[in-house]
Amino acid sequence: MKLTESLLHALKAHGATRIFGIPGDFALPFFRIIEDSNILPLHTLSHEPGVGFAADAAGRINCSLGVAAVTYGAGALNMVNAVASAYAEKSPLVVLSGGPGNGESRSGLLLHHQAKTLDSQSRIFEEITCAQVRLDDAARAPSEIAHVLASCRHNSRPVYIELPRDMVAVDCQSVEALPPEKIDDEALDACVDEILERLARAKAPVLMAGVEVRRFALEKQVAELARRLGLPVVTSFMGRGLLAEADAPLVGTYMGVAGLPEVTQRVESSDGLFLLGVIVCDTNFAVSEKAIDLRKTIQALDGRVTVGYHTYMQIPLAALVARLLERVPTGEHRFAVNRQPFPRGLVADAAAISPNDIAAAVNDLMAAHGRMPMASDVGDCLFTAMDIEHTALVAPGYYATMGFCVPAGLGLQAETGQRPLILVGDGAFQMTGWELGNCHRYGWDPIVLLFNNASWEMLRTFQPESKFNNLDEWGFAQMAAGMGGDGVRVHTRTQLKAALDQAVATRGRFQLIEIMIPRGILSQTLERFVAGVKRLNAKQVVA
């Protein structure tokens, strides 16, 4: 077996289902084997950031490994931002980079694509991956591959594998997966005892589900746990879309001052807040109406559990949830669930379109045709997504990079086979929207809702005097035909309704609806968020 084949079989055994990539000369040898072996299907895109975002989304939605393959230097370094996003948001992404061969590395010549030293690239990726390896020895390669891939799954974070181009076809043994790490049962039982005791004492306990619940494929188990414990469930802002297919007592998404007052009050007044897989970051907690004393919460994240003022180490989330289910008997809800209301019933008239109208139109569409998985970029499109019925959602809610959602939407359709809905702003579309040109050859046909206010509108809300927030006229809808899709520009609610009806009825080509929104018109959720941030900033200045 060739080294590359051994690596590909190991990726597949660890859950990878496909590879997204862009070849280059240092990567051509292993790209040939990827294509010829057909161990994993290969999807090539147009720009390395798109490759990283697509692979990230594929891994997120399937609770498995996403794989991004690139060349050395100009390819891998062009993907750094996408990998940093995956690291921040705990997405299990495998970076496969071609590299200089062992012989040419000893030539004494500077090599093209080399930045500073030959290992500069690997040292850069040390900052944004949890494990790294250069496969320069076929005898060691199987154990090194096993270690790196186990780390990716265990930590749910990116890893880096560099494959020298003169090593790709050398003989290599198969990779044997490492056994699961042993868990201290006594520590796990003590942790569960304390959690159950804390929840039993609480008068108003709440379970908040975060991204690790999805990363470790625990949505059904968490829903069952919430039912048995009789706990109302909210998702974090980053965790929006969780539990959409599970029968959980879900009351909404916690967004502090930007969210529904009843959800905010329930979370912030809880004396037993159980944070399950929730990243403690500003996008989840910085706009709290009333500061949450995190020292008095239960936090399960990053393989450890903190209860009050002390921490149980090496307690994986999956083991914790499984042991809790063993200990908690089956029971019925002890409370009535008032689920979050969503806007519906778009008034199809000649009025201008607002983000709230888009949310209502999408909810109407899904009510008629079934829910669709969504990919959203940052900005008001993501805040608008908070007013759309719970459905599977991928978005860079914490790292907040622009340009994520179009390639992420392609990753969703490649991975799930389901037609996705993509929510993107005009600024983000300028970055990676052109990846839609790859839809035709792979049979992808997403529906893209492009929020066009000719502006970086979210930035304008915080610094309205800056003229650089203004964007020019691009005519995105007119470009769709040249990329193999259909495009239409809409100005009114009547036109929006008609365009959505046409889009959902048309299969086989991507559908781009360019929605013209007047500058300064925000979703109600973003308006609350901006007002809350400004109010909190004013308090800090006074203090």
Side-chain angles (χ1 to χ4, degrees):
M1 183 184 298
K2 299 174 183 177
L3 193 156
T4 302
E5 293 170 334
S6 180
L7 172 59
L8 293 172
H9 281 298
L11 286 167
K12 188 172 184 178
H14 283 76
T17 60
R18 65 197 67 252
I19 296 173
F20 294 89
I22 295 179
D25 57 349
F26 285 105
L28 282 174
F30 80 76
F31 265 76
R32 173 185 290 171
I33 296 174
I34 291 173
E35 186 174 71
D36 291 346
S37 70
N38 202 31
I39 297 168
L40 291 172
L42 172 66
H43 307 294
T44 58
L45 299 182
S46 304
H47 200 209
E48 284 85 4
V51 166
F53 291 140
D56 178 350
R60 291 190 194 201
I61 200 67
N62 199 33
C63 311
S64 63
L65 299 185
V67 185
V70 289
T71 194
Y72 175 76
L77 296 182
N78 202 25
M79 202 168 65
V80 163
N81 181 60
V83 180
S85 176
Y87 187 92
E89 303 210 350
K90 296 185 65 65
S91 189
L93 175 67
V94 179
V95 178
L96 299 183
S97 174
N102 290 331
E104 60 192 329
S105 296
R106 295 189 294 266
S107 69
L109 297 174
L110 291 174
L111 302 179
H112 63 285
H113 295 335
Q114 178 180 335
K116 184 178 180 182
T117 64
L118 286 175
D119 64 349
S120 292
Q121 174 175 299
S122 64
R123 288 190 287 111
I124 288 169
F125 274 90
E126 284 180 13
E127 285 294 315
I128 51 174
T129 58
C130 66
Q132 311 82 31
V133 66
R134 186 173 190 267
L135 300 177
D136 54 7
D137 186 305
R140 295 196 310 266
S143 63
E144 291 173 333
I145 293 169
H147 169 74
V148 168
L149 297 185
S151 182
C152 188
R153 292 306 302 262
H154 178 74
N155 295 293
S156 189
R157 281 203 156 109
V159 295
Y160 172 83
I161 299 175
E162 186 174 318
L163 189 53
R165 59 177 167 181
D166 59 1
M167 293 294 296
V168 300
V170 300
D171 290 337
C172 182
Q173 297 296 314
S174 61
V175 176
E176 294 187 11
L178 297 180
E181 294 188 8
K182 292 184 178 180
I183 298 170
D184 185 334
D185 283 324
E186 291 184 356
L188 180 57
D189 284 332
C191 177
V192 168
D193 286 342
E194 189 167 0
I195 290 173
L196 294 177
E197 181 183 353
R198 177 68 67 91
L199 293 175
R201 290 202 314 264
K203 296 180 180 179
V206 174
L207 190 155
M208 183 183 294
V211 293
E212 276 198 357
V213 172
R214 166 63 61 79
R215 303 296 187 263
F216 294 109
L218 296 172
E219 289 178 78
K220 290 182 179 179
Q221 296 93 318
V222 169
E224 175 65 20
L225 179 63
R227 291 194 297 270
R228 292 189 190 184
L229 289 169
L231 293 179
V233 179
V234 300
T235 72
S236 65
F237 178 68
M238 282 183 67
R240 180 54 176 247
L242 285 170
L243 307 170
E245 303 298 329
D247 182 22
L250 186 62
V251 297
T253 296
Y254 173 71
M255 297 179 63
V257 296
L260 295 177
E262 55 269 32
V263 174
T264 298
Q265 194 277 334
R266 188 188 287 263
V267 169
E268 295 178 2
S269 64
S270 173
D271 59 347
L273 183 57
F274 189 4
L275 303 176
L276 203 58
V278 177
I279 296 177
V280 181
C281 61
D282 55 357
T283 52
N284 282 333
F285 295 106
V287 290
S288 299
E289 180 72 38
K290 181 177 70 176
I292 298 172
D293 188 349
L294 292 171
R295 299 171 302 172
K296 297 180 180 179
T297 63
I298 304 166
Q299 299 177 48
L301 183 78
D302 284 334
R304 61 182 181 268
V305 180
T306 299
V307 186
Y309 296 91
H310 65 276
T311 299
Y312 296 88
M313 302 301 293
Q314 297 180 333
I315 305 291
L317 192 66
L320 176 67
V321 172
R323 188 59 55 89
L324 282 166
L325 285 171
E326 290 175 8
R327 295 280 300 278
V328 180
T330 303
E332 299 297 325
H333 299 322
R334 300 197 302 265
F335 59 94
V337 175
N338 295 317
R339 295 188 182 275
Q340 178 180 348
F342 296 101
R344 290 186 174 83
L346 175 71
V347 177
D349 58 16
I353 302 166
S354 72
N356 297 326
D357 294 325
I358 298 172
V362 171
N363 287 328
D364 292 346
L365 183 78
M366 291 190 183
H369 300 283
R371 285 185 291 189
M372 303 169 65
M374 295 197 306
S376 177
D377 228 278
V378 295
D380 207 4
C381 53
L382 181 52
F383 286 96
T384 299
M386 298 300 112
D387 285 323
I388 293 174
E389 180 72 49
H390 288 287
T391 190
L393 170 68
V394 294
Y398 163 42
Y399 188 70
T401 181
M402 293 174 68
F404 173 86
C405 74
V406 171
L410 306 187
L412 286 187
Q413 185 157 15
E415 188 65 28
T416 67
Q418 300 177 55
R419 190 182 201 185
L421 190 67
I422 296 174
L423 277 61
V424 59
D426 50 331
F429 192 89
Q430 291 176 18
M431 297 180 178
T432 57
W434 318 110
E435 297 290 1
L436 289 173
N438 296 293
C439 287
H440 176 72
R441 58 182 167 146
Y442 296 119
W444 300 329
D445 58 353
I447 297 175
V448 183
L449 304 185
L450 199 166
F451 293 47
N452 190 351
N453 46 27
S455 172
W456 289 324
E457 196 63 28
M458 187 166 177
L459 299 181
R460 186 192 304 279
T461 62
F462 294 103
Q463 194 165 299
E465 68 277 8
S466 296
K467 294 181 180 178
F468 55 66
N469 289 318
N470 298 333
L471 301 180
D472 208 347
E473 164 64 44
W474 280 56
F476 298 106
Q478 299 174 33
M479 303 175 189
M483 292 191 287
D486 299 319
V488 60
R489 173 178 282 190
V490 299
H491 295 267
T492 69
R493 297 191 291 200
T494 296
Q495 293 172 344
L496 174 61
K497 172 69 165 58
L500 278 170
D501 289 342
Q502 179 65 32
V504 79
T506 305
R507 296 303 309 261
R509 293 166 61 88
F510 76 81
Q511 302 295 299
L512 174 63
I513 304 175
E514 184 182 7
I515 306 170
M516 306 307 294
I517 302 171
R519 284 180 182 168
I521 303 299
L522 308 177
S523 68
Q524 294 174 359
T525 304
L526 179 54
E527 286 180 342
R528 292 194 299 267
F529 178 83
V530 171
V533 170
K534 289 181 177 179
R535 187 168 70 247
L536 292 171
N537 288 343
K539 288 181 180 179
Q540 292 173 357
V541 170
V542 171

